[in-house]
Amino acid sequence: MHAMINYPHIASMVFNTPLYATPTLVQAVRNVLEPRLLGRANDLPQSLGMDSGHGEDREMQNLQVSGRIAVIPVHGVLVARRGHITAACEELLSYERLRSQINAALKHEMVEEIVLDFHTGGGHAMGCKELADFIRASTAIKPITALVNFAAYSAGYYLASACSRIVASPTAGVGSIGVIIETYEVSRWEEEIGIKYNTYYRGDHKNNASPHEPITDQAVQEINGMLDVAYSEFTEAVASFRGLDVSAIVDTQARLFRPKEALALKLIDEIAPAQDAIDTIAQRYTSNTGTTPRNNRSIRAQARALDTSCQL
């Protein structure tokens, strides 16, 4: 028996909020939600909701470690908090869980380097900056390579840009450095079927972007303000992480780039098939020549200190 799903709650995570996501991803999620929000579909997916979470000890046990490398998948729709979708749309991956996985890899005695394996069209703006800052701070403890295999768009690229370096597979794509907000309005549909919502509120902006009435100029102004803040945050962070001028990032105008063009624009550092990139990284740790063993106790202490400071 299927559990009831709070589609309006899910919609609140998609509409009227800044998204670092490609329009294609937004459309895909919208195609799942719209018929259910409008009562045109009664089928329920096998699973759509929040998972039970993963503690750091469990993440440490589940960490994929091979040849001194921890490979952490960054796949699907990126969201602020833990959750998953199957059969309804595609996998959800939270910034919260990614942080736990990276932190586990930082503390793992056998891990010399972390590889984030990207295949995502992006997701929530909320929480993305915090994780990107954590990734950048973590690179001072262990190198973190972003492996774009095969997509790191929008929020995905935000996180990738914070890594020590970015390697893209020959057919990969990066970019979409922009922000998007969608609103939805069902007032005409409600009028057709004879439904009318009466909303009472205090505070002039409390009812901005209500789906039950046409959008107001006031709401549009607020939305544009949210877009400006999120866009500046995104472009400035990427410019800082990649050592580029903000104007160069703004000039991309949220375009999607194939590897050769991305390399020319310094949005990535190397083009290589995923397995070749992994093998090259692994080779650095297979020989003891000229290497100095890490002080694992010191690394664990640094990781704990970093985790604590980023939570304050």
Side-chain angles (χ1 to χ4, degrees), residues 14-299:
V14 177
F15 301 108
N16 303 336
T17 188
L19 300 174
Y20 293 145
T22 61
T24 301
L25 177 60
V26 175
Q27 178 69 46
V29 176
R30 188 172 65 227
N31 286 346
V32 172
L33 290 177
E34 277 184 349
R36 293 169 174 83
L37 290 169
L38 298 177
R40 295 172 182 164
N42 297 318
D43 63 304
L44 295 178
Q46 291 294 323
S47 174
L48 175 55
M50 306 306 290
D51 63 23
S52 59
H54 296 74
E56 187 175 297
D57 290 342
R58 184 175 174 184
E59 296 293 5
M60 186 80 77
Q61 294 172 2
N62 293 337
L63 205 61
Q64 300 177 32
V65 181
S66 177
R68 298 280 180 174
I69 303 169
V71 179
I72 300 174
V74 186
H75 299 166
V77 184
L78 303 178
V79 297
R81 303 299 297 269
R82 291 186 172 118
H84 64 276
I85 292 182
T86 61
C89 182
E90 59 178 298
E91 179 183 3
L92 292 186
L93 176 63
S94 72
Y95 299 133
E96 188 179 58
R97 185 177 183 197
L98 266 174
R99 179 192 174 107
S100 294
Q101 291 175 310
I102 294 169
N103 205 41
L106 290 174
K107 296 176 182 178
H108 199 295
E109 294 184 358
M110 297 299 294
V111 173
E112 294 282 352
E113 184 162 337
I114 300 167
V115 173
L116 300 184
D117 175 18
F118 285 89
H119 185 56
T120 175
H124 280 171
M126 183 184 299
C128 188
K129 170 180 167 51
E130 290 85 346
L131 180 58
D133 288 344
F134 176 75
I135 290 172
R136 176 45 62 104
S138 299
T139 61
I141 300 175
K142 292 182 180 180
I144 302 178
T145 294
L147 179 59
V148 185
N149 182 38
F150 293 91
Y153 293 125
S154 217
Y157 184 75
Y158 198 149
L159 301 181
S161 70
C163 295
S164 307
R165 59 198 303 268
I166 303 175
V167 180
S169 60
T171 59
V174 300
S176 191
I177 304 170
V179 58
I180 187 170
I181 292 178
E182 279 206 352
T183 65
Y184 73 104
E185 183 203 329
V186 294
S187 60
R188 291 185 181 180
W189 173 73
E190 292 168 352
E191 185 177 350
E192 288 176 3
I193 64 173
I195 296 177
K196 178 169 175 54
Y197 286 82
N198 297 306
T199 305
Y200 306 93
Y201 57 93
R202 297 293 183 272
D204 291 345
H205 296 275
K206 193 64 176 178
N207 201 40
N208 279 354
S210 167
H212 307 300
E213 58 190 54
I215 195 164
T216 63
D217 292 341
Q218 172 182 279
V220 170
Q221 184 176 356
E222 287 294 306
I223 288 170
N224 281 325
M226 293 168 65
L227 287 169
D228 289 341
V229 170
Y231 187 54
S232 293
E233 180 183 281
F234 193 175
T235 54
E236 290 170 8
V238 170
S240 175
F241 292 151
R242 296 295 300 168
L244 299 170
D245 292 335
V246 175
S247 60
I249 303 303
V250 172
D251 285 346
T252 67
Q253 290 299 305
R255 286 180 55 210
L256 310 183
F257 297 100
R258 297 299 294 271
K260 288 184 179 180
E261 192 172 8
L263 186 63
L265 293 172
K266 299 182 180 180
L267 296 178
I268 64 173
D269 300 294
E270 183 182 344
I271 302 171
Q275 191 57 58
D276 290 356
I278 292 289
D279 291 345
T280 299
I281 295 171
Q283 286 174 6
R284 292 203 290 266
Y285 305 108
T286 56
S287 172
N288 293 325
T289 305
T291 61
T292 303
R294 288 177 176 268
N295 185 331
N296 290 317
R297 182 175 297 178
S298 174
I299 289 174

